[in-house]
């Protein structure tokens, strides 16, 4: 693979023109970086100038098999020559085959397809309220969620998320949603004692992504499961970010020993092609009767053809084993780097979704570190103002992890020099 030009930073007039175009024609809700990628292959992206970047961001944990994976390209192009779209007025073979594979690989017996994680979570919450309405009446409608959660950007899901900044200014907001501290089983049990009879569902990330890459404890999710069972509420696992092999298992619930009633999956399900799914059991699915919910593009033949191949590749001992090995390698490398620089107070996460929390003296400067990484040719993420988040491809090689660690080392040095100058 040809390497990039030796300079780590350069002026790129073409990329600058594209970035300026963004500001002229796009709504200002995003503030993308100055670089504009033009092609990708495997774990690497290239910008207009030819500089390449090792991708430890993966489009926010989406590109789980890297960029332009040949088997996914083949699945997409073959399906594109057959059938693009039929809507939900008809079914199609790729959607049925993907649903069959998801049911065979999980606890699920029924599947609903949509296009994004937010849509999947919206459908899951609507389904939970419909089940409670049918079984118990309108009073059982309360949804329990958790602080620092993220479940999407629709008005319903953004309110279920426990980050008020995302819903501020969009009121009036949906009611009947309460929040508790994450990983606090005692608080959950106490809340159910008072509110269990009117609670229809609990929605929880088994590892919070946007909220700081914080894994749930077994005791926490076991308490939620027991409370839901006692009060006939549904337990919803939002595995939009943690699912599809990211943890080293196909879905994280397998590792926690708790089976949810409903599971949402997206992001890596299509590895970049928009597709999401809601997984559940026969008795619960039966409440989503004809006409009660839908999606024009959900179950799109091209999306499902790609996702079917993604599932086939990821749900294999070889790929999931690589997640375990590269996770151990990456954690060990970051710990060694941290022993040298003393930048991180904690390194946490699951599999190849890791969060590196900055020491208190660098609080709020995660985005500065992200910028330093980008200058060094390493694409990373943040998870709040104080956590650097890493989500490399699940099929990343040992050599690429080593290269990523070397680039992270240079990035930390660059960040610390800048922080010292501004102190």
């Amino acid at each position: 693979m040809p390497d990039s030009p030796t300079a780590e930073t350069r002026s790129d007039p073409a990329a600058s023109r594209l970035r300026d175009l963004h500001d002229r024609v796009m709504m200002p809700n995003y503030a993308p970086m100055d670089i504009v990628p033009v092609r990708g292959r495997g774990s690497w992206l290239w910008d207009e100038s030819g500089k390449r970047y090792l991708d430890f961001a993966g489009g926010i944990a989406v590109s789980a098999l890297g960029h332009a994976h040949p088997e996914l390209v083949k699945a997409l192009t073959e399906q594109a020559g057959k059938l693009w779209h039929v809507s939900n007025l008809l079914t199609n073979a790729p959607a049925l085959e993907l649903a069959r594979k998801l049911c065979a690989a999980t606890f699920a017996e029924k599947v609903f397809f949509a296009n994004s994680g937010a849509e999947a979570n919206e459908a899951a919450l609507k389904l939970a309220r419909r089940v409670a309405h049918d079984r118990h009446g309108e009073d059982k409608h309360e949804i329990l969620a958790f602080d620092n959660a993220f479940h999407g950007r629709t008005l319903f899901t953004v309110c279920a998320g426990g980050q008020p900044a995302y819903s501020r200014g969009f009121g009036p907001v949906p009611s009947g949603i309460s929040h508790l501290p994450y990983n606090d089983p005692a608080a959950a049990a106490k809340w159910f004692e008072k509110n269990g009879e009117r609670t229809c569902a609990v929605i929880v990330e088994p590892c919070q992504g946007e909220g700081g890459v914080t894994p749930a404890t077994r005791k926490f999710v076991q308490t939620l499961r027991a409370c839901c069972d006692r009060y006939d509420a549904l337990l919803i696992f939002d595995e939009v970010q943690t699912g599809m092999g990211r943890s080293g298992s196909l879905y994280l619930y397998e590792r926690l020993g708790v089976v949810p009633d409903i599971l949402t999956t997206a992001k890596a399900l299509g590895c970049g092609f928009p597709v999401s799914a809601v997984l559940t059991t026969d008795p619960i699915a039966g409440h989503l009767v004809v006409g009660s919910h839908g999606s024009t593009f959900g179950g799109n033949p091209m999306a499902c053809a790609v996702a079917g191949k993604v599932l086939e590749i990821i749900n294999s001992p070889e790929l999931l084993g690589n997640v375990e090995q590269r996770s151990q390698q990456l954690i060990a490398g970051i710990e060694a780097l941290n022993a040298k620089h003393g930048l991180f107070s904690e390194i946490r996460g699951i599999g190849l979704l890791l969060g590196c929390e900055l020491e208190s003296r660098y609080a709020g400067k995660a985005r500065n570190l992200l910028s330093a990484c980008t200058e060094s040719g390493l694409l990373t993420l943040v998870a709040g103002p104080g956590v650097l988040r890493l989500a490399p491809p699940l099929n990343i090689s040992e050599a690429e992890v080593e290269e990523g660690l070397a680039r992270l080392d240079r990035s930390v040095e660059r960040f610390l020099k800048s922080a010292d100058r501004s102190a």
Side-chain angles (χ1 to χ4, degrees):
M1 179 182 295
D3 208 339
S4 62
T6 54
E8 287 188 332
T9 60
R10 64 183 52 74
S11 175
D12 181 359
S16 178
R17 287 194 297 271
L18 287 172
R19 182 62 181 79
D20 290 344
L21 180 62
H22 171 277
D23 292 341
R24 292 200 305 273
V25 302
M26 301 292 287
M27 289 192 185
N29 55 307
Y30 298 124
M33 293 183 286
D34 289 338
I35 66 168
V36 181
V38 295
R39 67 184 179 94
R41 187 73 176 182
S43 301
W44 299 87
L45 284 172
W46 284 263
D47 67 14
E48 287 266 12
S49 68
K51 179 180 175 180
R52 69 169 181 162
Y53 300 81
L54 186 53
D55 190 358
F56 273 31
I60 314 182
V62 167
S63 304
L65 296 176
H67 302 278
H69 191 289
E71 292 188 58
L72 304 188
V73 172
K74 181 181 178 183
L76 177 59
T77 53
E78 286 184 353
Q79 184 58 44
K82 297 176 182 177
L83 182 67
W84 282 33
H85 175 72
V86 293
S87 87
N88 51 44
L89 296 175
L90 299 167
T91 190
N92 66 83
L96 295 175
E97 181 60 15
L98 175 58
R100 184 194 66 78
K101 289 179 178 179
L102 286 167
C103 289
T106 68
F107 72 95
E109 296 165 319
K110 288 290 191 297
V111 178
F112 170 81
F113 289 122
N115 310 289
S116 67
E119 290 173 76
N121 284 330
E122 180 92 9
L125 294 169
K126 285 180 66 177
L127 174 58
R129 278 192 168 166
R130 186 60 174 260
V131 170
H133 176 276
D134 292 349
R135 290 177 176 176
H136 302 282
E138 294 183 356
D139 289 342
K140 193 175 179 66
H141 66 271
E142 186 78 20
I143 294 165
L144 177 61
F146 298 94
D147 297 339
N148 296 318
F150 185 85
H151 299 297
R153 295 281 195 162
T154 68
L155 195 55
F156 197 0
T157 59
V158 82
C159 292
Q163 301 184 55
Y166 291 153
S167 59
R168 190 175 299 125
F170 295 104
V173 298
S175 60
I177 303 171
S178 299
H179 294 85
L180 290 177
Y182 187 75
N183 267 342
D184 189 337
K190 184 177 180 180
W191 192 90
F192 262 95
E193 288 176 5
K194 294 182 178 180
N195 305 287
E197 296 299 336
R198 58 189 180 89
T199 301
C200 72
V202 175
I203 184 167
V204 64
E205 298 162 275
C207 176
Q208 287 191 333
E210 304 295 324
V213 193
T214 305
T217 65
R218 277 180 169 262
K219 184 176 182 181
F220 178 54
V221 294
Q222 287 171 352
T223 299
L224 297 179
R225 177 72 276 174
C227 289
C228 286
D229 289 342
R230 179 178 179 184
Y231 291 97
D232 196 22
L234 300 184
L235 180 59
I236 304 169
F237 269 19
D238 176 347
E239 292 228 36
V240 168
Q241 189 161 170
T242 60
M244 291 302 292
R246 183 60 57 182
S247 68
S249 297
L250 185 62
Y251 288 101
L252 183 51
Y253 81 84
E254 302 171 61
R255 298 198 160 215
L256 291 170
V258 168
V259 179
D261 299 296
I262 303 172
L263 181 146
T264 57
T265 181
K267 286 189 179 289
L269 180 61
C271 279
F273 203 107
V275 60
S276 66
V278 180
L279 313 181
T280 192
T281 61
D282 274 325
I284 294 170
H287 292 267
L288 210 64
V289 297
V290 173
S292 59
H293 192 62
S295 169
T296 296
F297 295 104
N300 173 273
M302 291 194 292
C304 291
V306 172
K309 179 55 69 172
V310 171
L311 181 57
E312 180 182 312
I313 295 171
I314 287 180
N315 195 27
S316 67
E318 294 78 16
L319 193 286
L320 296 176
N322 190 68
V323 174
E324 294 276 10
Q325 294 164 16
R326 300 289 75 79
S327 175
Q328 294 171 15
Q329 178 191 3
L330 187 55
I331 291 171
I334 298 172
E335 288 175 343
L337 182 154
N338 200 40
K340 174 182 173 183
H341 297 292
L343 177 60
F344 303 122
S345 62
E346 185 180 7
I347 300 158
R348 58 179 180 258
I350 48 130
L352 286 176
L353 178 63
L354 301 178
C356 307
E357 185 165 4
L358 274 62
E359 289 279 2
S360 58
R361 63 184 179 276
Y362 303 112
K365 295 186 176 180
R367 192 161 291 277
N368 300 68
L369 179 54
L370 180 149
S371 296
C373 289
T374 305
E375 291 178 37
S376 300
L378 180 67
L379 298 181
T380 57
L381 301 162
V382 296
V387 178
L388 185 75
R389 179 174 27 158
L390 306 176
L394 308 185
N395 57 349
I396 194 168
S397 69
E398 181 178 0
E400 287 170 332
V401 170
E402 285 301 317
E403 177 63 24
L405 288 166
R407 294 185 182 214
L408 181 59
D409 193 8
R410 296 197 295 273
S411 305
V412 169
E413 290 177 350
R414 176 178 271 130
F415 168 81
L416 291 173
K417 287 179 182 177
S418 176
D420 290 342
R421 286 195 299 269
S422 62

